[in-house]
Structure formats: C-alpha cells, structure tokens
C-alpha cells in the first residue's frame, strides 16, 4: 500500500556502511567492545539513551579515558564558579545528566548533546590534542599533597579599587606590645593536624587532598552568646596553623611553615566567622622569621568582608590600628621569632571576614583567566595556550605564546622574543597582578599592543610554582626548596617547573634572539617597584642593561624607583633565573621586585599599592618595550648619557666615603661596576639550602652519568678552521702512507723500517705544489660574515636629545614598513 515506506524499511534492515566502519574503528581502539547493533545510530533510537540503565551517565566531564594513558586525566575536574553564566549553565546541565557512559561496552566520550543537555547519537569532531580549554570544558581541579585536608568550599573574592588612597599607618608611640602567653594560659580554638615539616618529603598528591571525612577543627560554639571566633585556612592559598584565644577578643596566631620545611613564615591568608561589630579585636602572629618588615614603616594588613562585598560591592581593603612588628619574647634557643600585632573592628555582626598579607591570586584565579582568553575568538588567534610541564604534584604549568601571525617565514624569523614569568615564589602574589596587567594590555586591541605582537614573540609562564600557590607556601615548592636558587639543576623530576622553563628558553635562543627576560617577584623590606639586573662586561654594550630600568622609571615615576635597582651578580644568586638566563646570553635579564607595601614617590607617596596600581605596571612594561626598541635611538642615547652621569656621581660618592681622592678623567669607565654596588640581598633565603637529603644520591648519580657521557662523546668540530685543519691532516696522513709504501717498494726496505716523518711535510708540500700547477684555478665563493644579533642595540651617535611620546609614527599607519628580513648566509665546507 505504501511502497516507498516498504523500501525504506528494507533499507533500514541492511547494515549501514558508516556504522560498520565505526564499529570496527572503535573496536580496534578499545572504545567499543559490545555486540553489533548495541550502538544506536538513528534518531528513532534516542529513547534508548535516556531509559536504558546501561547508558546511565556518571563521572566527570572532559576526560578521555582510554585515549590518554595519563592517570592525572582521570581525576575529577573543578566546578568553574568563575566562568560566564552560559558556560556555567552548560556545565550544570552536563553535571546533571553527565557525559560519560558507565556501560562497560561503550566508553566513548565524544557524544554530542543538544541545548537541553540530552544525548544525541552522533559523535563530535575530534578534540584538539594540544589545547586545554574550550567553552564546554571545565577547569582542572588543584591537586594537593595527600597529607593536606581541604574544605569543600569555593572561595571567590571580587576585585575592587578603593576610591580614596589608602595611606600608610602612622605610629603614635603608644602601641601595645602584647606578651606572648601561648596555649599554656590560653585556649586553642583552631589547629591543623599532621602538618608535614622538614623531617618529611613529598610523596604523592590527589584532587581534594587527604582522603576521608574532613574534620571540623574550629571549636563548637556553646550558644548564640558565645563570642569565640571560628578560624579556617584549609582552602586554596590559605595559611594558618594554630589560633589560641588568650582573652575575650584577643588571639595569638601561628603560621604554618612552607610544607616539608621548618622555615619561611611570611604569607598569611585565613578566614574568621562569628564576628561582633562593636568590639575591638587584637590579632598577634607569633612566629615570623624576618627581623625587618614593611610593617615597621606603615604597611597595613588586608581585610575582606563578605557582607560588604555582597551589599556594597567592597573588596579587599587595608585595615588595622596599633600595628607593631617586634621580636618575640619567647626564645626556644634555636631561632629568633618576630611578632606582628594589630587591632581591628569588624564592620558587621555575624560576618565572614578574611585577612591576608597581600591580595591573593590563586591557581584557580589563573585558570579562570586563561579560560576566558581561550574562549575569546579574537584573542585565541594570537595567544596560544600550551602545557609547559606538570608540577611535582601534577598541576599544569601553563605556557602562553603571544604574537600576531606573520605574512612570510622571513618575517616570522625576524621577530625577537621576550620571556616573562611570575610566582616562582608562591607567597609573592603581587607578581601575578603585574602579570595580569601585562596580559590584559598585550591581548587588547590597542594599536601599541598590536605593534608589539607584530615585532615580538612573547613567551609567558604566568605561574611557575602552582603547587606552592595551592598549599599556601611563601617561598618553596613541594620539594621543600626555593626554586629560584635551582635554575641550574639537573633534577628534572624534582624541579620540573624551572627545568622545563630553562629548557624552553634554551631552545628559544637557538631559534631567535631573546631581547628581554623578566621574572616578577615581591619584596618584603623595601617600598616601590624596582629591578635587579646583571652588569655587562662587554665594553661594546656597557651600561646597556640599565637602559630599560631607567626608561621604566620615566614611564612610571610614581611607582618605579631606579635608585633602588641593583645590577650586582653575587655568588649566592648564581642559581637564580636572572643570572642563569644572563649567562645563557640574554643581556637584558631582570628580576622585577614589587613591594608588598606601597609607594614613596610622586603623587602616590605614603600610600599602599592597589591591584590596579600593579596591573598598570604591566602596561608600563609594554610601553617601555616600545621606547626601548624605537628605531629612533634618541631616547636610548639620552638614557645612556644620563646613566654615565649617574655612575660618575656614584663613583665620586664611594671614594668620598673611603676618604680617597681620584682623578676620574679618562679612566672612570674602567672601574668594575660591581665594586661600587651593594648587595641585592633582601630576604632571609638568599643562600641556597642545597638539595634535600633524599635527592643527594640522585644528583650524584646524574652527575656521574653526565661525566661519563662527556668522556665518551666525541668532540664536535664547531668552526670552519677546525674542519680545514682536520681535512688537511687527513690528506697528509694519506699522502704519507702512499709515499712510504712507494719508497719501500723502490728501495726494497724491510717491513719493519719506516720513513723519517720529519722529512715528510716538505715532500708532501712539494708534490702538492706540482699538482696544483697542473690543475686549473677554481672559482671560490665568498662567505658574508654573520650579522651581529645585538646590532639593534647600537645607539646612533648623532641623535637629538628629546623624549618624544610619538613612537613609530609611520609604522602605526602601516606596519609593513617595520618588517626586517634577515640576511642570507652561504656556508661552504671542505
């Protein structure tokens, strides 16, 4: 009756070629082990996906089990509280219906979903193996050491800039110095259990940290009238080990040392609940290690109120009175401790408040930012996000490559590189805020940002030590060591973050010139922002390493202090990133130190830095790069002249302090610059602790293998001169053997006799001369000398001395004029 329908039914009974192909394909790769026909292939079978219990969905989203044999990919992923609402709704729908089939027969995760979150019987396109974020994918959850308890709460703080400057605290002289009584006379209201210290070392990690039920460490309130504060720090970047109540509104706090160490107590970040509005509370941190601190010259702690954030949109702010930093009166005979005390009045009753040493910036904050970049269709064209490596705990260390696409291979090869990194010291969160400001600008559509992307390749490692950031360390990684003293390490497995960073820069140097390297840090003893560099011994580029810092001080005069910069290379700093990269050949290699406090310069004098101030410095770094590379070398020459004058003044000052008189005319530039500079030491960890005990044998074995490899490895001939000498030597030996054999046959010598070798060179030269006379002269190919990689830094001698703000006037209208093509070199080999 309906022949068309009958034909269609007959066709459906036949095996579908595509289904047959996919069946064999999935079975071959281990994704599909069921019987033929168990996989629905048409829309008429959609009800099977919803109702059949074999296809119930469970697990986490975005994994590729069976495709990537990496146990780290099988961990649970983080629920992205910071993602945009459409993406968040999509992930909620995915979590509700889930995406991974629990059936043992079907293990594919490439299934499509409609807008209602329901499964469609089609396979999605293959995912890019080298990208990590997409609009439909959540973030990787942080991995913690298995000793750490972690509360199951998501913390998020709003960004806020105070409308008025936050001035330094002015001491009155009447500040109270509370006597430390300890838990003998007080009551412990919060204490972490089993904190790993210097006697142990990291073994393994997992998402969520310690297994089992999370204990409630805070005391139990006896009723609504109980005024005891409830403390908590078991969250990302949190640090508080113990709280002792010594009076109704007074608490003594003990910070946790860096994990697997007995040192480095500076960073703090904790939460308090059950507050009272009309009371004055006193907090005293009792186990700080540095004898000097910015708290002695007016720095205030940071406080965050959740009620203020919700009702008034107010974020982190500087708070505190009666601030004192002093030596602890309790001496254990081993190490001197210092105390920080301050008083506070909470803005609301029953509020949840946070205190921190500086504005927190967590690993999750970074991932949320990178997710927004990856989901931006414009920014993702010129910003490529990759995994540099996995940290010791298995957290991803991200690498960003930022540059505009080049029109030709020659244009791409002509680009120089700039390398930036941050958070090698996890407690120095100010480095992350500067990095965020830099990324905000360089990824924008500003003409200057587009120009920078046209002429540079930016390699950015925004968080070098994610493990330390996650657990709330101040200085170390989970290896229990300061990574910024181990850039020369050979232990790739123990220090992966810096080993892969150094290796990446080494490979980058083989491809192109690296114009600048800068590592963003924080400083706990000096105000303002400044750079540490390395004095250059090459007279051709004398003082050139100081030009960039001087330009930066001119572009940010109320934040950056050139007089606080230092360029001395100390022996104890040989393992730092700045010195190691400088010795690898990067002339402009710097450590940027940004204060935890504020500015003593210009319009911002005696005020604390905000996150906006730090982000603006990231913009000034970009602005200074354009000045530094301006084809018009006027600014460069002006800075060199100013630097010479400043150096002469410094030399005169040094000799006056020594009580000596010296005529510096004609010879002052020959004085070693390191002799007139002071130490760059600004912390208690300038000296390396060496390797942990459990790694000493590993390092010794690797060093022995390296020595044996060097002995066995044949030395390569690097220069043309060496190749020519070897070629000539081989010819002489061949001629010697032939001549010796001919003479032995001619004179009937015994096999045991030989020709005098001292007479052979003249004989061979005579024969070569006769042979050359009979041959026709050959044409030779001349080799052009290799162009100097630093030619762009040569200042022009006849430039006018002015500081114009108009950079690249012609280039901004048409950037094609800026294209520089490298010269071609012809090499000949013997």
């Amino acid at each position: 009756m309906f022949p068309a329908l009958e034909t269609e039914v007959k066709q459906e009974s036949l095996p579908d070629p595509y289904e047959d192909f996919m069946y064999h394909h999935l079975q071959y790769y281990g994704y599909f082990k069921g019987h033929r026909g168990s996989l629905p292939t048409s829309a008429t079978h959609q009800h099977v996906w919803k109702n059949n219990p074999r296809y119930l969905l469970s697990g986490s989203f975005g994994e590729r089990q069976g495709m990537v044999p990496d146990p780290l990919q099988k961990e649970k992923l983080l629920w992205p509280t910071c993602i945009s609402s459409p993406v968040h709704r999509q992930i909620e729908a995915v979590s509700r219906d889930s995406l991974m089939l629990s059936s043992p027969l079907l293990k594919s995760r490439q299934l499509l979903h409609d807008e209602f979150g329901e499964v469609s019987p089609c396979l999605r396109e293959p995912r890019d193996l080298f990208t990590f974020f997409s609009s439909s994918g959540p973030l990787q959850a942080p991995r913690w050491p298995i000793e750490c308890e972690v509360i199951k709460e998501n913390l998020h703080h709003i960004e806020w800039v105070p409308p008025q400057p936050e001035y330094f605290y002015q001491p009155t002289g009447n500040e109270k110095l509370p006597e430390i009584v300890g838990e003998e006379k007080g009551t412990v209201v919060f204490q972490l259990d089993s904190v790993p210290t210097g006697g142990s070392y990291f073994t393994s990690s997992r998402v969520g940290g310690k297994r089992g039920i999370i204990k409630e460490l805070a005391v139990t309130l006896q009723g609504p009238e109980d005024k005891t504060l409830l403390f908590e720090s078991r969250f990302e970047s949190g640090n508080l080990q113990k709280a002792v109540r010594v009076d109704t509104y007074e608490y003594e706090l003990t910070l946790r040392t860096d994990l697997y160490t007995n040192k480095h107590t500076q960073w703090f970040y904790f939460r308090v609940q059950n507050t009272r509005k009309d009371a004055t509370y006193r907090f005293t941190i009792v186990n700080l290690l540095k004898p000097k601190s910015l708290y002695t010259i007016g720095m205030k702690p940071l406080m965050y109120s959740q009620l203020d954030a919700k009702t008034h949109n107010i974020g982190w702010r500087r708070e505190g009175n009666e601030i004192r930093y002093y030596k602890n009166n309790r001496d254990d005979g081993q190490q001197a401790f210092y105390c920080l005390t301050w008083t506070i009045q909470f803005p609301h009753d029953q509020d949840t408040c946070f205190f921190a040493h500086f504005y927190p910036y967590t690993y999750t904050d970074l991932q949320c930012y990178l997710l927004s970049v990856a989901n931006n269709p414009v920014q993702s064209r010129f910003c490529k996000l990759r995994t540099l490596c996995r940290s010791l705990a298995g957290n991803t260390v991200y690498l960003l490559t930022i540059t505009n696409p080049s029109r030709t291979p020659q244009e791409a090869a002509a680009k120089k590189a700039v390398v930036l990194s941050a958070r090698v010291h996890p407690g120095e969160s100010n480095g992350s805020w500067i990095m965020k400001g830099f990324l905000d600008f360089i990824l924008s559509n500003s003409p200057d940002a587009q120009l920078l992307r046209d002429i540079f390749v930016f390699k950015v490692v925004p968080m070098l030590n994610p493990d330390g950031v996650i657990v709330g360390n101040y200085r170390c990684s989970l290896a229990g060591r300061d990574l910024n003293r181990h850039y020369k390490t050979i232990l790739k497995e123990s220090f992966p973050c810096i080993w892969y960073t150094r290796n990446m820069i080494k490979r980058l140097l083989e491809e192109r010139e690296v114009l600048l390297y800068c590592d963003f840090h924080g400083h706990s003893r000096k105000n303002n922002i400044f750079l540490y560099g390395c004095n250059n011994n090459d007279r051709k580029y004398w003082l050139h390493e100081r030009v960039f810092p001087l330009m930066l001080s001119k572009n940010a005069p109320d934040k950056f202090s050139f007089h606080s910069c230092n360029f001395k290379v100390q022996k104890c700093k040989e393992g730092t990133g700045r010195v190691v990269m400088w010795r690898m050949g990067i002339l402009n290699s710097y450590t940027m130190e940004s204060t935890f406090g504020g500015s003593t310069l210009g319009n911002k004098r005696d005020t604390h830095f905000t996150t906006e101030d730090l982000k603006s410095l990231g913009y000034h770094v970009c602005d200074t790069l354009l000045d530094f590379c301006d084809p018009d070398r006027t600014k460069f020459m002006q800075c060199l002249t100013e630097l010479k004058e400043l150096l002469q003044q410094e030399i005169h000052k040094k000799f006056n302090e020594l009580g000596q008189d010296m005529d510096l005319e004609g010879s002052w530039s020959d004085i070693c610059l390191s002799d007139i500079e002071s130490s760059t030491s600004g912390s208690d960890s300038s000296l390396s602790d060496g390797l942990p005990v459990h790694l000493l044998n590993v390092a010794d074995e690797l060093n022995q293998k390296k020595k044996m490899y060097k002995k066995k490895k044949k030395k390569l001939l690097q220069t043309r001169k060496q190749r020519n000498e070897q070629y000539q030597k081989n010819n002489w030996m061949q001629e010697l053997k032939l001549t010796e054999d001919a003479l032995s046959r001619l004179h009937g010598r015994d096999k045991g006799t030989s020709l005098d070798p001292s007479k052979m060179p003249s004989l061979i030269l005579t024969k070569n001369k006769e042979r050359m006379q009979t041959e026709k002269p050959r044409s030779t190919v001349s080799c052009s000398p290799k162009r100097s990689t630093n030619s762009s830094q040569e200042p022009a001698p006849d430039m006018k001395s002015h500081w114009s703000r108009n950079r690249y006037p012609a280039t901004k209208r048409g950037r094609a004029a800026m294209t520089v093509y490298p010269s071609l070199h012809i090499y000949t080999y013997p």
Side-chain angles (χ1 to χ4, degrees):
M1 186 175 182
F2 298 100
L5 182 60
E6 292 177 0
T7 305
E8 184 176 355
V9 172
K10 290 180 180 180
Q11 290 177 352
E12 285 185 357
S13 63
L14 297 175
D16 184 10
Y18 179 76
E19 180 186 357
D20 190 65
F21 165 75
M22 290 305 299
Y23 166 77
H24 290 291
H25 178 76
L26 295 176
Q27 188 180 46
Y28 178 79
Y29 283 102
Y31 297 144
F32 184 71
K33 299 180 181 178
H35 299 288
R36 187 185 301 270
S38 63
L39 178 64
T41 56
S42 67
T44 60
H45 297 121
Q46 286 193 15
H47 66 279
V48 178
W49 297 92
K50 305 174 187 176
N51 303 323
N52 195 329
R54 292 188 305 158
Y55 303 119
L56 293 180
L57 303 172
S58 63
S60 54
F61 174 65
E63 297 178 355
R64 291 174 294 188
Q65 185 178 358
M67 189 173 185
V68 180
D70 185 358
L72 299 179
Q73 297 290 342
K74 299 182 181 180
E75 295 291 345
K76 294 181 180 179
L77 298 178
L78 179 67
W79 49 94
T81 59
C82 55
I83 310 176
S84 60
S85 55
V87 179
H88 193 65
R89 286 195 300 270
Q90 183 178 1
I91 295 174
E92 285 180 347
V94 169
S95 300
R96 183 175 62 253
D97 297 330
S98 205
L99 276 181
M100 185 179 66
L101 294 176
S102 61
S103 168
L105 304 179
L106 185 62
K107 296 185 177 180
S108 174
R109 306 227 178 114
Q110 301 295 322
L111 301 176
L112 289 177
H113 286 247
D114 59 19
E115 58 183 355
F116 302 103
E118 297 181 349
V119 181
S120 174
C122 302
L123 296 179
R124 70 176 73 248
E125 293 182 2
R127 295 172 60 183
D128 189 349
L129 298 179
F130 298 100
T131 56
F132 303 95
F133 294 128
S134 67
S135 60
S136 58
L139 310 177
Q140 178 193 4
R143 298 178 61 88
W144 295 70
I146 57 174
E147 301 94 337
C148 296
E149 286 189 344
V150 186
I151 62 174
K152 307 301 182 184
E153 295 183 33
N154 292 325
L155 302 181
H156 176 66
H157 303 304
I158 64 172
E159 284 190 41
W160 176 73
V161 179
Q164 300 297 327
E166 296 179 308
Y167 287 94
F168 292 158
Y169 174 73
Q170 299 298 325
T172 62
N174 300 322
E175 288 81 8
K176 177 184 175 182
L177 297 182
E179 183 180 353
I180 308 304
V181 299
E183 55 186 278
E184 293 83 3
K185 298 181 181 180
T187 303
V188 177
V189 296
F190 175 82
Q191 185 170 7
L192 295 180
D193 296 332
S194 63
V195 176
T197 58
S200 57
Y201 55 88
F202 171 79
T203 55
S204 60
S205 66
R206 65 183 296 270
V207 172
K210 191 174 183 179
R211 296 180 183 273
I213 300 175
I214 304 300
K215 300 177 183 178
E216 185 62 46
L217 299 184
V219 295
T220 304
L221 298 179
Q222 301 303 314
E225 300 300 323
D226 193 341
K227 301 178 181 179
T228 303
L229 290 178
L230 304 178
F231 290 82
E232 184 58 81
S233 65
R234 294 172 296 171
F235 46 79
E236 196 173 349
S237 295
N239 189 317
L240 179 68
Q241 180 173 343
K242 184 171 64 174
V244 179
R245 188 184 188 188
V246 297
D247 203 348
T248 306
Y249 300 110
E250 187 170 347
Y251 296 85
E252 291 178 1
L253 310 177
T254 301
L255 302 184
R256 175 185 54 75
T257 60
D258 284 4
L259 293 187
Y260 311 107
T261 76
N262 295 317
K263 302 192 303 182
H264 312 301
T265 52
Q266 180 75 27
W267 169 259
F268 61 87
Y269 177 30
F270 58 89
R271 184 184 73 186
V272 294
Q273 293 176 310
N274 194 38
T275 62
R276 296 296 186 271
K277 179 179 179 181
D278 298 326
T280 299
Y281 291 82
R282 177 178 290 276
F283 298 105
T284 304
I285 299 176
V286 300
N287 66 330
L288 297 170
L289 291 173
K290 294 189 177 183
K292 296 181 180 180
S293 173
L294 287 169
Y295 289 109
T296 62
I297 53 176
M299 178 175 160
K300 293 182 179 181
L302 282 161
M303 189 193 76
Y304 183 94
S305 165
Q306 281 194 351
L307 285 178
D308 277 344
K310 292 179 181 178
T311 58
H312 305 294
N313 203 34
I314 296 176
W316 288 99
R317 59 195 183 200
R318 300 283 181 172
E319 292 288 351
N321 288 298
E322 299 186 42
I323 301 172
R324 287 294 301 269
Y325 191 90
Y326 60 100
K327 190 173 182 179
N328 194 329
N329 58 349
R330 304 188 72 180
D331 191 358
D332 60 359
Q334 296 180 353
Q335 197 171 26
F337 289 106
Y338 295 84
C339 299
L340 168 66
T341 185
W342 74 94
T343 61
I344 192 74
Q345 289 186 337
F346 293 109
H348 304 284
D349 287 328
Q350 301 298 327
D351 194 5
T352 297
C353 294
F354 295 83
F355 289 95
H357 180 59
F358 201 73
Y359 300 96
Y361 193 93
T362 65
Y363 183 63
T364 300
D365 292 333
L366 173 67
Q367 290 197 103
C368 290
Y369 182 84
L370 297 181
L371 181 64
S372 67
V373 173
N375 289 335
N376 188 307
V378 177
Q379 294 178 347
S380 58
R381 294 177 185 174
F382 50 78
C383 178
K384 301 304 179 183
L385 179 63
R386 298 291 182 263
T387 292
L388 177 66
C389 65
R390 296 275 187 176
S391 66
L392 204 59
N395 293 298
T396 302
V397 180
Y398 296 102
L399 172 66
L400 283 71
T401 302
I402 304 171
T403 188
N404 280 340
S406 301
R407 291 181 288 270
T408 63
Q410 292 82 2
E411 182 181 345
K415 290 183 177 181
K416 297 181 181 180
V418 173
V419 181
L420 302 175
S421 61
R423 295 302 284 278
V424 68
H425 293 153
E428 297 171 358
S429 58
N430 29 13
S432 283
W433 291 105
I434 296 177
M435 179 65 76
K436 187 175 187 297
F438 167 80
L439 291 175
D440 285 344
F441 180 78
I442 201 65
L443 298 176
S444 69
N445 58 358
S446 164
D448 283 352
Q450 295 178 21
L451 178 59
L452 284 169
R453 296 195 300 265
D454 283 338
I455 61 179
F456 289 114
V457 176
F458 292 92
K459 294 286 186 177
V460 180
V461 186
M463 193 169 284
L464 274 166
N465 189 355
D467 295 347
V469 173
I470 290 169
V471 302
N473 278 3
Y474 173 59
R475 197 141 187 115
C476 298
S477 70
L478 294 184
R481 291 297 182 268
D482 182 351
L483 293 182
N484 202 35
R485 299 296 181 271
H486 291 275
Y487 267 89
K488 297 193 294 185
T489 185
I490 59 174
L491 300 178
K492 177 173 64 173
E493 302 300 328
S494 300
F495 304 100
C497 308
I498 55 174
W499 190 94
Y500 279 98
T501 300
R502 184 191 64 194
N503 192 54
M504 178 270 294
I505 297 175
K506 182 179 179 181
R507 288 187 284 108
L508 186 63
L509 283 167
E510 296 173 355
E511 298 174 2
R512 63 187 76 245
E513 178 189 350
V514 178
L515 180 70
L516 181 138
Y517 165 85
C518 191
D519 190 20
F520 297 152
H521 285 249
H523 207 283
S524 64
R525 292 171 51 184
K526 293 181 181 180
N527 278 313
N528 306 313
I529 302 172
F530 47 93
L531 287 174
Y532 290 147
C534 302
N535 282 320
N536 186 31
N537 298 324
D538 189 349
R539 310 308 296 176
K540 183 179 180 181
Y541 305 111
W542 188 61
L543 297 181
H544 283 203
E545 72 281 351
R546 304 184 182 215
V547 173
F548 184 84
L550 184 59
M551 286 183 171
L552 187 54
S553 69
K554 295 180 181 294
N555 290 330
D558 55 351
K559 303 180 187 73
F560 191 90
S561 171
F562 179 78
H563 294 286
S564 297
C565 296
N566 200 297
F567 302 87
K568 186 173 184 177
V569 179
Q570 298 172 265
K571 187 176 181 180
C572 63
K573 301 294 182 71
E574 286 289 337
T576 61
R578 162 178 62 100
V579 178
V580 170
M581 303 310 162
W582 173 64
R583 296 203 182 281
M584 287 171 58
I586 303 177
L587 173 65
N588 303 293
S589 181
Y590 305 108
T591 297
M592 178 174 286
E593 298 281 356
S594 56
T595 181
F596 288 107
S599 174
T600 61
L601 306 169
N603 298 330
K604 290 190 171 293
R605 185 178 182 88
D606 296 333
T607 62
H608 288 90
F609 280 150
T610 65
T611 56
E612 200 64 29
D613 292 325
L614 296 177
K615 288 194 291 184
S616 70
L617 195 80
Y619 156 73
H620 289 304
V621 169
C622 298
D623 192 38
T624 306
L625 266 175
L626 288 174
D627 290 333
F628 188 69
C629 300
D630 196 333
D632 180 2
R633 308 303 285 169
T634 302
K635 296 177 184 179
F636 197 97
M637 282 299 297
Q638 179 182 342
C639 287
L640 275 181
T641 303
E642 187 174 343
L643 285 169
K644 292 176 182 178
E645 295 175 356
L646 290 173
L647 186 59
Q648 280 184 317
Q649 295 173 9
E650 189 67 24
I651 294 174
H652 279 293
K653 182 180 177 181
K654 278 289 182 182
F655 279 107
N656 290 335
E657 291 175 357
L658 298 174
Q660 300 178 3
D661 294 329
M662 181 178 180
D663 183 14
L664 298 179
E665 291 297 330
S667 62
W668 69 275
S669 60
D670 296 329
I671 298 176
C672 182
L673 298 179
S674 298
D675 295 338
I676 63 174
E677 288 188 297
S678 60
S679 168
T680 61
S681 177
S683 66
D684 58 351
S685 60
S686 295
L687 296 175
S688 173
D689 295 329
L691 291 174
V693 176
H694 66 284
L695 295 180
L696 292 177
N697 294 334
V698 179
D700 292 340
E701 292 176 3
L702 287 176
N703 282 324
Q704 291 295 332
K705 290 181 180 179
K706 192 174 181 180
K707 291 179 181 178
M708 293 295 295
Y709 178 74
K710 285 184 176 180
K711 289 180 180 179
K712 294 180 181 180
K713 187 176 180 180
K714 184 179 178 180
K715 186 176 180 181
L716 298 177
L717 300 177
Q718 298 293 334
T719 66
R720 184 183 177 187
K721 181 179 179 182
Q722 289 176 316
R723 292 194 298 271
N724 289 339
E725 290 177 351
Q726 183 67 36
Y727 179 75
Q728 190 176 17
K729 181 179 178 181
N730 292 338
N731 284 340
W732 280 358
M733 295 301 296
Q734 187 176 5
E735 294 282 355
L736 174 63
K737 185 177 181 181
L738 293 175
T739 306
E740 186 175 355
D741 292 342
L743 291 177
S744 62
R745 289 194 300 269
L746 181 63
H747 298 288
R749 292 187 299 106
D750 294 333
K751 290 184 179 181
T753 62
S754 62
L755 193 65
D756 186 5
S758 62
K759 299 179 181 179
M760 289 310 302
S762 60
L763 179 60
I764 295 173
L765 289 175
T766 304
K767 296 184 67 177
N768 287 341
K769 184 177 180 180
E770 294 174 355
R771 185 179 60 189
M772 291 176 64
Q773 288 177 353
T774 59
E775 294 179 354
K776 295 182 180 180
R778 302 176 184 176
S779 61
T780 59
V781 180
S782 62
C783 251
S784 61
K786 191 173 182 180
R787 183 170 55 89
S788 172
T789 57
N790 291 319
S791 60
S792 62
Q793 298 180 7
E794 273 297 308
D798 52 351
M799 291 294 181
K800 297 180 181 179
S801 179
H802 67 278
W803 194 273
S804 172
R805 298 305 302 171
N806 294 326
R807 295 183 303 269
Y808 305 105
T811 311
K812 287 184 177 181
R813 290 190 294 268
R815 291 193 297 272
M818 281 296 298
T819 306
V820 179
Y821 296 94
S823 59
L824 298 178
H825 309 290
I826 302 174
Y827 297 98
T828 58
Y829 300 95

